[in-house]
């Protein structure tokens, strides 16, 4: 049973009077795996089949459908009643239209997962409200939630799909998460990024806090190449901190304990060891970065996003996709790998939830990319056509926008939304896309192709069946168009049937370079972050003395000279003044 108001009042009052309680400024509510509101066992198992969930699902369904007749019609089950509802079994959880669910035949399973996610969000709000109501002093409340990137392909069974409900709650002040653990995020030279849709937090008046738990390389007297390792550690710590701050958000450093332990075998890499961040050079960098951003806050300089590319993602669309382990590679490619490619494109981007598209200042963005927006209402489509696909923007469509919805699976809706005539095919295990000659000068490799493997292949695979479109890549297996571009009266549209599982040769890098978005640098090994009229350049593996040109938005050219491995440089995005030299 959940805490009563009386027991909550007693707990809060007693805790608040203790020595520790008097130092509390906020409480973070937690449950599930690592306190992160993932269902227990979600990585390899299928929650939640227990009696409490069955009871809740029955009540949830009754509130939604009201009558047995409505329920039976929606679920295509003449025998179902509110009293005999069971949570979906394994056969029902198996999607029956390949990667996608057809709501005309799989509404029960879609409903179940929606109920599961709403229940989780309701519990977070419940506990946050109790804290706000009964703590005797002003207090902030928050939670681990909003994980969107790097959810191991298990967003349906254990992710955070009720984001709108959390962002709209007045009882929650912040949401937080550890940074992305994958793909390709934990090593020097790779991309650091928050796990959530940070811009949507801002648009809804919430704070996002990153939990820093990447151990930096530290400096020990007997360790070989100690100067290189320390330089890499400083650069990666800078990269992580500055990303969060340039997004206008905050962070904390998490201390696992003794440093130098490998995640897999828990063997010490370095001895003697101390804390994760306990090195004077690392601490000095942290202090310097904090001083720079404290000054901006003290000067009351308002936060400003400098991005001119916008990613639009959806959470509810995931309910309409395969939920079993490793059955939905399309979402991972559209969400995780496409954004990695954007980071390697030398541009700046924001990422928002589809529900916030009407809240954002669209005039800021030259290019808009629609990711996993498989579920689009008629009103959303009308808004996109009227307000987004205008003013000469580049619009990039990934996989299957609007493919599924209340009326079921509809291939022609993709054409209605994108303007491309689309058809489907089936491909085998390894999917290769050969890039067309016009891209070769950009990728500097005439034989470049995108490839990834998926057991039993993928179905449905979409392709462009449109003679008026310009093809930029074809599936090697059947020579059908996989990437294409089409000019319209008020915008230019690009269609990517399957994003690549590799950021370096991802076609999105080429598209962004061809768009009107500002490209600060064309170097797939480098990453730039920006915001608050600041720009950060990161590249871990450049030889000492190597030079790279960065072009600011005002046209000013800045030459970056690498200090060697561990290059993280913060500069003024207008003047080019260096505020933090290379690590």
């Amino acid at each position: 049973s959940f805490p009563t108001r009386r027991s909550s009042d007693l707990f809060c009052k007693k805790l608040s009077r203790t020595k520790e309680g008097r130092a509390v400024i906020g409480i973070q509510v937690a449950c599930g795996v690592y306190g992160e509101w993932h269902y227990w066992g979600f990585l390899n198992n299928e929650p939640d089949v227990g009696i409490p969930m069955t009871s809740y699902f029955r009540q949830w369904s009754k509130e939604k459908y009201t009558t047995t007749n409505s329920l039976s019609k929606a679920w295509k089950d003449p025998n179902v009643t509110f009293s005999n509802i069971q949570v979906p079994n394994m056969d029902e959880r198996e999607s029956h239209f390949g990667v996608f669910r057809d709501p005309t035949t799989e509404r029960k399973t879609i409903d179940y997962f929606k109920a599961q996610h709403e229940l989780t969000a309701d519990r977070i709000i419940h506990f946050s409200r109790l804290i706000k109501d009964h703590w005797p002093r002003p207090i902030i409340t928050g939670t681990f939630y909003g994980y969107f990137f790097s959810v191991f392909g298990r967003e349906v069974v254990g992710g955070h799909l009720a984001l709108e409900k959390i962002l709209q709650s007045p009882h929650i002040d912040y949401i937080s998460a550890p940074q992305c653990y994958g793909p390709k995020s934990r090593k020097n030279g790779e991309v650091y990024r928050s796990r959530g849709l940070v811009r949507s937090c801002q648009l809804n008046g919430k704070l996002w806090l990153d939990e820093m738990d990447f151990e930096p390389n530290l400096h020990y007297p007997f360790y070989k190449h100690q100067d290189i390792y320390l330089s890499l550690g400083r650069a990666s710590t800078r990269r992580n901190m500055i990303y969060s701050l340039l997004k206008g958000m905050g962070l904390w450093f998490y201390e696992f304990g003794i440093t130098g332990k490998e995640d897999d075998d828990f063997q010490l890499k370095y001895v003697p060891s101390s804390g994760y961040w306990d090195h004077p050079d690392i601490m000095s960098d942290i202090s310097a970065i904090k001083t720079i951003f404290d000054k901006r806050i003290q000067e009351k300089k308002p936060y400003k996003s400098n991005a001119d590319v916008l990613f639009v993602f959806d959470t509810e669309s995931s309910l309409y996709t395969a939920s079993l382990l490793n059955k939905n590679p399309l979402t991972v490619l559209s969400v995780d790998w496409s954004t990695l490619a954007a980071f390697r494109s030398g541009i700046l981007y924001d990422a928002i939830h589809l529900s916030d598209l009407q809240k954002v200042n669209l005039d800021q963005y030259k290019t808009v990319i629609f990711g996993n927006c498989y579920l689009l209402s008629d009103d959303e489509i009308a808004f996109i056509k009227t307000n987004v696909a205008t003013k000469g923007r580049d619009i990039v469509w990934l996989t299957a926008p609007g493919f599924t919805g209340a009326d079921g699976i509809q291939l022609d809706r993709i054409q209605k939304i994108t303007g491309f005539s689309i058809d489907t095919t089936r491909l085998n295990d390894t999917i290769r896309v050969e890039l067309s000659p016009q891209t070769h000068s950009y990728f500097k490799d005439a034989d470049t192709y995108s490839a990834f493997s998926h057991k039993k292949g993928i179905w449905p695979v979409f392709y462009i069946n449109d003679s008026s479109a310009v093809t930029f890549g074809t599936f090697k297996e059947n020579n059908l168009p996989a990437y294409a571009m089409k000019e319209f009266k008020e915008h230019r549209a690009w269609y990517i049937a399957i994003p690549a599982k590799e950021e370096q040769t991802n076609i999105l890098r080429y598209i962004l370079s061809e768009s009107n978005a500002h490209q600060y640098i064309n170097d797939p090994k480098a990453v730039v972050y920006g915001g608050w009229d600041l720009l950060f350049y990161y590249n871990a593996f450049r030889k000492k003395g190597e030079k790279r040109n960065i072009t600011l938005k005002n046209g000013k050219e800045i030459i970056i000279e690498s200090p060697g491995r561990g290059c993280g440089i913060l500069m003024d995005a207008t003047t080019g003044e260096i505020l933090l030299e290379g690590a």
Side-chain angles (χ1 to χ4, degrees), residues 164 200 203-204 310-313 352-363 365 368-370 373 376 379-385 387-389 393 395 397:
E164 288 178 87
S200 276
L203 293 171
N204 289 277
L310 181 69
F311 271 93
V312 182
F313 293 110
I352 63 168
H353 194 279
L354 175 63
S355 62
D356 295 319
L357 185 57
Q358 296 187 38
K359 299 176 184 177
V360 79
N361 176 19
L362 286 169
D363 289 339
Y365 303 103
V368 179
I369 305 165
F370 288 89
C373 298
L376 289 170
D379 287 345
E380 288 167 337
I381 294 169
F383 180 83
I384 291 169
K385 286 182 174 294
N387 299 279
V388 183
R393 286 194 187 91
I395 309 296
W397 303 100

Side-chain angles (χ1 to χ4, degrees), residues 33-34 39-47 151-152 154 157-158 325:
V33 179
Y34 299 120
Y39 268 77
W40 300 110
F42 84 108
L43 278 175
N44 298 302
N45 301 284
E46 291 298 314
V151 197
F152 320 108
R154 299 295 274 161
V157 298
L325 189 63

